[in-house]
Amino acid sequence: MNNVFLEGKDFARSYILPYTDLTDKESKFPEESFKKLGEKGFLKLLIPVEYGGLGKGLEEHAQVCLAFAESCSTTALCYMMHNVALMCIQTHGSDELKKKIFTDVVENGKFLALAYSEFGTGTNFYISEMTIEVNRDYTTFYGSKSMVTSATYASYYLVLAPSVEEGKINNWVFPLETKGLTFEISKWQGLGMRGNSSCPMHIDNVTLDSSFRIGAEGSGEEQVFNVVAPFFVTGLAAVYSGTAMHLFEIAKNHVVDRQYPDGKTLANIETVQVHIGNIYKTAAASKAITLEAARAGANGEEDALAKILAARIVASEAAIECGRLAMRVGGGKAYNKSLPTERLLRDAYAGQIMAPSADVLAIWLGKALTGQMIP
Ligand SMILES: Cc1cc2nc3c(=O)[nH]c(=O)nc-3n(C[C@H](O)[C@H](O)[C@H](O)COP(=O)(O)OP(=O)(O)OC[C@H]3O[C@@H](n4cnc5c(N)ncnc54)[C@H](O)[C@@H]3O)c2cc1C
């Protein structure tokens, strides 16, 4: 893949867009799109070349998530989480774990998910209240995760759990078929992102040997802040920037097409022109800061963290604002759902509350800019 953004756009038009309406209406996980994501190589985007992957990094991750979200926010979000999970395995996993999981992704089109958030600690997803019992090389887990995107469809779930070392956490891989793992699909009633299948996962007497732990004992927090954070936060910025751009496209096409009996269109009305300009500038600014943050992050630049945090906050606000204005110029057609505007606005509302929430990130941004420790 040379230009992953354009290839992502082409892919999305052919294999994501046809399912996106049904994904929302029936709250249906985009299985068909994921099958094609495997066949066309997108699932292995971040897997190193020596394991059969494409060896791409943060910038390409952001570009592909953005490209997909310009067609379907749900599919982009599920895909984004898969990439984040792969990065933890790539940077901290044992050779054995890499070989097993990367091979399953490359050869069998399997994908991954993040089971981090809990009912108690909520947006502070890096604090786990799960309990563990350790018996030599085996660890037994008990607890619940509150919202697990791609639940029951992903083959591997990254789970944060306490370490035996006081105050530390570990990042584990739970295969879907592990005994003691159950999902409560009926509890997913999302306002938007309805195809995500983001339901609770219950972990009752799940026993795994240490080969399923990613990295050294107690290294979970380091993974969360050095790997999950840049890829997840930049990925979220990309998903919501893509959602904002999608809203612009829909609004623009609508105002050009909507004709009055005198032959004039909505696009001929000055107030509407101002609204369209505002939707565009908001979406384009969000996209620009997201791509810049990904570039700075990929190059390890000093201000990368601030840019990544800022991009994610800008993007979640941009998607909601673009949705608000797109509903306004969309009139009765948008309100009565003959345009997909209301679906995208519902999707956009997930942005501000996904962990770490926009409010938490605003505090982190202030800390990062003034040289203070995060969180
Ligand atoms: C579509 C969707 C998909 C998701 N998928 C996943 C997934 O795949 N894996 C996963 O692990 N989780 C997932 N989540 C969960 C998500 O990331 C959050 O952890 C979860 O939404 C937190 O919910 P809560 O009600 O417990 O938040 P709470 O912790 O109750 O926070 C609610 C609000 O309070 C405010 N707030 C709380 N603490 C602070 C603070 N310290 N400073 C400032 N403001 C604060 C913020 O405004 C925050 O939004 C998903 C969520 C959504 C919406």
Side-chain angles (χ1 to χ4, degrees):
M1 288 188 197
N2 293 324
N3 185 331
V4 294
F5 178 74
L6 290 182
E7 292 189 39
K9 287 284 286 183
D10 280 351
F11 175 89
R13 269 191 288 269
S14 302
Y15 303 112
I16 295 180
L17 205 53
Y19 305 106
T20 184
D21 201 30
L22 208 63
T23 291
D24 178 67
K25 280 201 180 107
E26 297 185 2
S27 200
K28 184 181 175 302
F29 184 81
E31 273 180 281
E32 296 86 351
S33 305
F34 264 77
K35 190 163 178 290
K36 285 288 176 189
L37 281 169
E39 287 170 18
K40 300 286 179 188
F42 285 97
L43 291 180
K44 60 180 182 180
L45 186 81
L46 302 185
I47 292 179
V49 176
E50 61 267 34
Y51 289 95
L54 300 180
K56 305 291 186 193
L58 185 64
E59 276 190 278
E60 291 86 357
H61 165 61
Q63 288 166 11
V64 174
C65 293
L66 230 158
F68 290 174
E70 289 184 8
S71 286
C72 175
S73 313
T74 273
T75 307
L77 190 56
C78 299
Y79 173 76
M80 192 278 285
M81 305 233 187
H82 160 77
N83 277 350
V84 174
L86 278 183
M87 281 312 295
C88 291
I89 291 163
Q90 189 193 315
T91 55
H92 287 76
S94 64
D95 285 344
E96 185 192 347
L97 203 56
K98 283 185 201 171
K99 200 153 180 260
K100 176 182 164 58
I101 293 177
F102 291 167
T103 305
D104 224 2
V105 174
V106 172
E107 292 180 6
N108 306 320
K110 303 290 183 191
F111 55 94
L112 287 71
L114 303 172
Y116 287 168
S117 303
E118 297 184 12
F119 290 99
T121 54
T123 200
N124 309 295
F125 71 93
Y126 43 88
I127 305 172
S128 173
E129 293 187 311
M130 282 178 54
T131 55
I132 55 160
E133 288 164 5
V134 180
N135 185 359
R136 285 189 295 235
D137 197 35
Y138 290 89
T139 304
T140 303
F141 304 84
Y142 301 88
S144 287
K145 298 293 179 177
S146 55
M147 294 171 93
V148 180
T149 288
S150 308
T152 74
Y153 295 93
S155 297
Y156 299 100
Y157 297 81
L158 265 55
V159 173
L160 288 175
S163 155
V164 284
E165 294 178 25
E166 183 70 23
K168 294 195 171 176
I169 51 171
N170 285 318
N171 200 11
W172 291 83
V173 182
F174 284 25
L176 173 64
E177 64 279 4
T178 310
K179 198 163 163 272
L181 214 55
T182 54
F183 297 89
E184 255 187 302
I185 286 286
S186 62
K187 290 272 161 52
W188 174 238
Q189 300 290 338
L191 172 72
M193 299 289 186
R194 287 177 48 75
N196 274 37
S197 179
S198 305
C199 72
M201 178 172 114
H202 301 297
I203 300 157
D204 184 19
N205 201 8
V206 165
T207 300
L208 292 170
D209 67 61
S210 61
S211 69
F212 289 91
R213 192 186 65 227
I214 306 171
E217 179 67 51
S219 67
E221 187 166 318
E222 192 247 314
Q223 292 176 47
V224 164
F225 287 99
N226 292 338
V227 185
V228 174
F231 277 81
F232 189 70
V233 177
T234 307
L236 283 179
V239 168
Y240 292 101
S241 298
T243 304
M245 284 308 288
H246 193 184
L247 279 157
F248 161 69
E249 284 298 329
I250 291 162
K252 178 199 67 178
N253 291 339
H254 173 66
V255 302
V256 170
D257 291 347
R258 164 61 171 124
Q259 206 170 30
Y260 286 98
D262 65 1
K264 288 202 170 133
T265 66
L266 272 179
N268 298 133
I269 299 168
E270 202 172 337
T271 305
V272 173
Q273 292 160 3
V274 171
H275 287 322
I276 289 295
N278 281 334
I279 297 172
Y280 176 76
K281 77 174 191 228
T282 304
S286 175
K287 184 169 174 172
I289 190 177
T290 296
L291 294 174
E292 167 56 15
R295 190 203 58 74
N299 292 309
E301 291 174 12
E302 209 179 323
D303 59 354
L305 174 63
K307 283 181 175 164
I308 289 171
L309 298 174
R312 152 91 166 95
I313 300 166
V314 167
S316 6
E317 288 166 0
I320 294 172
E321 178 60 5
C322 290
R324 185 182 74 80
L325 290 173
M327 284 300 289
R328 194 148 158 178
V329 296
K333 313 224 172 16
Y335 195 81
N336 204 27
K337 302 188 183 180
S338 44
L339 296 174
T341 316
E342 64 80 36
R343 162 164 62 85
L344 294 181
L345 180 58
R346 285 188 281 108
D347 291 344
Y349 270 110
Q352 59 184 4
I353 54 125
M354 288 192 70
S357 72
D359 289 330
V360 170
L361 286 176
I363 298 167
W364 289 8
L365 176 58
K367 284 186 172 175
L369 292 169
T370 53
Q372 297 177 62
M373 283 284 287
I374 294 173

